Amino acid sequence: MSGYFTEGHKKLMLFSGRAHPELAEAVAKELGTELTPTVARDFANGEIFVRFEESVRGADCFVMQSHAQPLNKWIMEQLIMIDALKRGSAKRITAILPFYPYARQDKKHRGREPISARLIADLLTAAGADRIVSVDLHTDQIQGFFDGPVDHMHAMPILTDYIKERYPLDNLMVVSPDAGRVKTAEKWANALGDAPLAFVHKTRSIDEANKVVANRVVGDVEGKNCVLLDDMIDTGGTIAGAVGVLKEAGAKSVLIATTHGVFSGPARERLSQCGAEEIITTDTLPQSTEGWDNLTVLSIAPLLAKTIHEIFENGSVTTLFEGQA
């Protein structure tokens, strides 16, 4: 079977980079199609070569790449794939970035700093992307960095449905890891039966990456089963520290929920030993539960497949998360 399906005169083609092919295959299965056969290899000096083995002329093309380590390599590969589609006369090119790279660099904290999240959007535009799909952007303003349509999807229903199925809601409390996430925490609280809210006051170093100190809890968490949420967890220091602060404040248990499990360096050790009952994440990035005692990985593929289908059909992507965003 070829890597596309047609409806009327339209043709959908799905492509995957090499960073996380398992997710792309799961999305293709949800769509009832297959990935377009692609040749991708590295030259001895690190240059990337890509060629598609079927004609893309006039097709509605969707290029998936999850930006795990080595992140910069996978960014370049996706840009090259988009360029190849543009030069192959694709009708429309949608770049799917389940985890948007450089999302934390969305503004200048001091002089002579880049806004790298904007640079990524500019690079996608220059390569030939007409549209972007991403999941739980670090900040909403990133949508404005791209001149074309941006479909900002939300993993919250996937995560909250899992929690509702497995944990009693009567003693649940939603905790934001900082004051900036309180608005998101409010949506979670509504989804989890109007649960009460708290947040952790923290300070962040502008000189050292991944340097955050959790200070104290704002809100009464004593005796509560706390759901501690964040959009991404990198080295795990912030969240592990927040778990400690919640425990010291009398929390009965702590459940961690995050969309993007980056889990760099010491993250596994920190999160396994921090006292959290369970860490729940999605597969926007490649994940393995090996070596973890408390990690659960939920599939984001159905959400991405529905998004692709709505875009292809010129339907409403908003209906997929209306009332959730």
Side-chain angles (χ1 to χ4, degrees):
M1 179 181 174
S2 59
Y4 63 87
F5 67 81
T6 60
E7 182 159 321
H9 64 283
K10 296 196 297 182
K11 181 169 70 171
L12 183 153
M13 301 183 78
L14 181 63
F15 305 83
S16 173
R18 292 175 291 170
H20 192 5
E22 298 83 6
L23 176 58
E25 287 165 4
V27 171
K29 185 176 180 181
E30 291 281 341
L31 285 167
T33 186
E34 293 182 1
L35 297 174
T36 303
T38 304
V39 173
R41 61 175 181 264
D42 299 336
F43 288 102
N45 68 346
E47 290 181 9
I48 297 169
F49 171 82
V50 171
R51 184 179 185 275
F52 306 119
E53 297 189 333
E54 295 179 1
S55 172
V56 301
R57 183 177 296 275
D60 203 346
C61 297
F62 297 82
V63 188
M64 287 191 61
Q65 184 75 296
S66 292
H67 296 95
Q69 297 183 21
L71 179 145
N72 295 322
K73 175 180 179 178
W74 301 136
I75 291 171
M76 195 65 201
E77 182 176 88
Q78 188 172 28
L79 294 173
I80 290 171
M81 293 174 73
I82 293 168
D83 183 75
L85 290 171
K86 179 179 69 174
R87 297 177 190 281
S89 301
K91 182 180 180 181
R92 180 172 63 173
I93 303 168
T94 300
I96 303 177
L97 301 82
F99 172 69
Y100 192 96
Y102 288 92
R104 286 172 287 187
Q105 298 184 43
D106 62 316
K107 58 182 174 290
K108 292 174 65 173
H109 294 281
R110 297 181 300 175
R112 301 177 301 282
E113 290 184 350
I115 303 179
S116 303
R118 170 60 193 261
L119 175 61
I120 294 297
D122 289 343
L123 290 170
L124 290 166
T125 300
D130 300 299
R131 190 180 193 121
I132 292 176
V133 174
S134 195
V135 181
D136 284 340
L137 294 168
H138 190 58
T139 56
D140 288 338
Q141 73 185 43
I142 292 173
Q143 296 174 80
F145 293 167
F146 187 75
D147 288 337
V150 176
D151 297 302
H152 182 196
M153 310 311 295
H154 301 276
M156 185 188 74
I158 297 170
L159 296 163
T160 54
D161 284 351
Y162 174 87
I163 293 169
K164 285 188 284 188
E165 288 172 7
R166 288 162 179 80
Y167 293 89
L169 301 183
D170 56 352
N171 196 38
L172 212 60
M173 188 166 200
V174 175
V175 181
S176 170
D178 56 50
R181 295 272 158 201
V182 169
K183 186 177 178 182
T184 300
E186 286 175 349
K187 296 172 187 174
W188 277 69
N190 291 336
L192 293 172
D194 292 322
L197 277 174
F199 72 90
V200 178
H201 181 269
K202 70 180 185 181
T203 55
R204 179 182 296 275
S205 171
I206 62 172
D207 296 313
E208 296 182 61
N210 304 109
K211 182 74 172 180
V212 179
V213 178
N215 297 317
R216 59 188 175 87
V217 182
V218 179
D220 184 10
V221 300
E222 187 170 356
K224 296 289 187 180
N225 297 316
C226 296
V227 179
L228 180 61
L229 61 96
D230 211 346
D231 65 312
M232 74 170 78
I233 298 176
D234 192 350
T235 60
T238 304
I239 291 293
V243 172
V245 170
L246 290 170
K247 291 279 191 176
E248 289 172 10
K252 182 179 179 182
S253 68
V254 182
L255 175 70
I256 297 171
T258 184
T259 302
H260 308 297
V262 181
F263 301 148
S264 304
R268 184 175 67 180
E269 181 180 356
R270 286 174 173 173
L271 296 173
S272 295
Q273 299 175 3
C274 71
E277 186 171 331
E278 186 177 9
I279 296 111
I280 308 166
T281 189
T282 74
D283 58 353
T284 56
L285 293 163
Q287 300 293 348
S288 171
T289 56
E290 185 177 347
W292 292 83
D293 296 326
N294 54 352
L295 179 67
T296 299
V297 181
L298 306 178
S299 177
I300 203 78
L303 174 63
L304 292 176
K306 290 173 186 174
T307 304
I308 290 170
H309 183 264
E310 289 299 322
I311 293 171
F312 180 63
E313 295 287 346
N314 294 320
S316 174
V317 174
T318 307
T319 58
L320 299 178
F321 56 84
E322 204 148 38
Q324 307 289 347

